[in-house]
Amino acid sequence: MKSIVQLQNITTGYDAKIALKDVTLNVNAHDFLGIIGPNGGGKTTLIKVILGLLKPKQGQVKYFREGKEVSEITMGYLPQHSEIDHKFPISVYDTILSGLSRQKPLLRSFTREQRSMVDEMVNQLQLNGLEKRHIGSLSGGQLQRVLLARAIVSKPEVVILDEPNTYIDQQFQSQMYQILLDINCDCAIIMVSHNVESILQNAKEVAYLNQILHYYSNTDISISELRQYSSQSIHNL
């Protein structure tokens, strides 16, 4: 397997507080990595480091394409629901279309092909009839579907999802995981979730993070094995 993201001995945090301590992680093309751990354990911080939104205090982040180191790779990101500005004046359609912004030259219009890609996402995520709706008028589950569509519309090399189960009903959760499994044929997936059961059922690899990262190359893990790394409870057991 070819590496696509490498974190080497990453230590970082906010002010004097350390969130990640000496974290080393290798993500290969077509990995489906589930990241679990307690609140405050550094999961969102790890995502920010991978996305390049937070510079580590120590260590290196490297990206690769076809075995060669590159300065960046294409990444789609579904943030936590709480990070979304529900009052921002943008429609469902334009929100999804914004996921293609980096593929469009400055001051140029989106192409017919790019708009067709948005139409495909609307159909795939059952958003038909909502295209003109303001995102602030959507239910929590509808908004999550819109943001998932925005994250994957560009067919990125890595898709990163931070608590994607939030506000999504059980029926669509199953559909969401099937969509992720389908796109996993073409990209790597990194998903943070409190839902340990869903991670163990759908991911291929698992990392338990509580400042220090413990990596498993498969999901053949017992809950008792995971518990040994933290005195804090794991949710949804």
Side-chain angles (χ1 to χ4, degrees), residues 39-155:
N39 289 331
K43 300 186 300 296
T44 297
T45 301
L46 180 65
I47 285 177
K48 289 180 178 180
V49 170
I50 293 172
L51 288 167
L53 300 176
L54 179 64
K55 187 176 181 180
K57 298 178 183 295
Q58 296 178 19
Q60 290 184 308
V61 182
K62 296 183 177 182
Y63 307 106
F64 298 86
R65 182 178 294 120
E66 297 299 326
K68 295 182 179 181
E69 187 173 353
V70 294
S71 59
E72 63 178 8
I73 55 175
T74 57
M75 291 187 274
Y77 175 44
L78 173 62
Q80 287 192 40
H81 191 271
S82 60
E83 296 179 26
I84 306 304
D85 183 359
H86 298 250
K87 296 180 180 179
F88 190 76
I90 188 170
S91 70
V92 165
Y93 187 91
D94 287 338
T95 298
I96 300 172
L97 191 61
S98 70
L100 296 169
S101 295
R102 296 193 66 179
Q103 297 183 2
K104 179 180 73 68
L106 189 64
L107 304 180
R108 295 277 186 89
S109 298
F110 287 100
T111 65
R112 183 178 299 178
E113 180 183 1
Q114 288 170 327
R115 292 183 179 277
S116 178
M117 293 165 71
V118 174
D119 292 338
E120 180 184 340
M121 287 294 102
V122 167
N123 290 327
Q124 188 172 12
L125 288 147
Q126 300 178 7
L127 295 166
N128 307 78
L130 300 177
E131 295 93 331
K132 295 181 180 180
R133 288 269 298 273
H134 184 283
I135 61 169
S137 69
L138 301 178
S139 68
Q142 289 170 336
L143 181 58
Q144 284 293 77
R145 279 187 270 165
V146 172
L147 298 176
L148 176 59
R150 182 184 67 175
I152 66 178
V153 65
S154 65
K155 298 180 173 25

Side-chain angles (χ1 to χ4, degrees), residues 172-202:
F172 186 74
Q173 279 189 36
S174 299
Q175 183 182 347
M176 178 189 73
Y177 281 113
Q178 186 56 57
I179 291 169
L180 293 178
L181 290 172
D182 290 343
I183 68 171
N184 190 215
C185 297
D186 301 309
C187 70
I189 295 174
I190 301 171
M191 183 171 69
V192 165
S193 179
H194 279 112
N195 194 319
V196 177
E197 183 178 350
S198 291
I199 289 288
L200 296 182
Q201 286 178 351
N202 296 282

